[in-house]
Amino acid sequence: MNATPLTASQTAAPVECTLPPASERLAYRCAQIGERAFTARDYGATPIRHIVLLRFSNDVSIAAREPMIERFLRLKDECLRDGRPYIRSVEHGRQESGEGNGLGFEHAFLMTFESEGDRNFYVGEPIVRDATCFDPVHHAFKADIGPMLAPQGALVFDFFPACGDAPACPTRSG
């Protein structure tokens, strides 16, 4: 039997399935359904975690940082929707890893929201532009803390707990 080797163009290349960045997916979804639906309490009614890492500018004193950390923690009680707090929990801690991979981030916050809609209402801009569809308290906090942070001094990462790549994962739908 005489076998002819396959050329590179005839071999099956692995198909790469990559999702667009979350910011693009969320902006697209918001544009599809509108900002009111995107920030509704019952939108994506699955708990979601919101991680924020902060790195202050070197010229911001410890004395100036502490009130901002305390203010961040008070957001749980001060951010209201329909007159009630909507942030389920906020945890805070300082960088304590000895691995040397902290990239200068000093503070971590782990927040839990009951739904994507609550998280979207909290985050607001840049995706949600209608001021009636995002939290003015958090918006003011971002404006106040922003100048105190180093360049690229905030890292935000959101995820659905215990979701992974399961087909029922909310991030895998529409």
Side-chain angles (χ1 to χ4, degrees):
M1 181 164 168
N2 210 357
T4 306
L6 295 174
T7 64
S9 63
Q10 294 172 316
T11 59
V15 176
E16 216 175 289
C17 295
T18 58
L19 291 172
S23 58
E24 290 177 24
R25 292 191 319 270
L26 292 170
Y28 177 76
R29 186 69 177 141
C30 182
Q32 273 187 320
I33 66 173
E35 292 182 346
R36 291 225 179 273
F38 187 70
T39 60
R41 269 190 189 278
D42 62 349
Y43 174 71
T46 301
I48 187 167
R49 304 280 199 274
H50 180 76
I51 300 171
V52 178
L53 303 179
L54 296 180
R55 176 177 46 226
F56 284 93
S57 179
N58 290 336
D59 62 345
V60 176
S61 70
I62 300 290
R65 296 173 192 201
E66 290 306 316
M68 292 309 282
I69 299 304
E70 291 169 13
R71 187 170 164 199
F72 196 130
L73 294 170
R74 285 196 314 270
L75 291 176
K76 180 182 180 299
D77 299 317
E78 294 175 358
C79 288
L80 305 176
R81 245 186 140 160
D82 306 320
R84 309 185 313 252
Y86 63 93
I87 300 169
R88 184 198 287 179
S89 66
V90 178
E91 295 177 66
H92 164 256
R94 297 184 193 282
Q95 163 60 292
E96 293 296 332
S97 174
E99 295 180 66
N101 292 323
L103 302 176
F105 288 99
E106 308 159 48
H107 297 273
F109 299 85
L110 175 61
M111 306 175 82
T112 301
F113 296 91
E114 289 295 327
S115 69
E116 284 183 84
D118 281 345
R119 184 273 318 263
N120 297 342
F121 179 78
Y122 173 80
V123 171
E125 294 179 323
I127 294 172
V128 177
R129 298 179 190 276
D130 179 349
T132 65
C133 293
F134 62 76
D135 191 313
V137 173
H138 179 239
H139 186 73
F141 175 74
K142 290 192 298 186
D144 291 344
I145 198 169
M148 299 176 78
L149 299 177
Q152 298 181 339
L155 175 69
V156 180
F157 189 98
D158 295 354
F159 67 97
F160 296 96
C163 193
D165 288 331
C169 181
T171 60
R172 302 200 30 115
S173 62

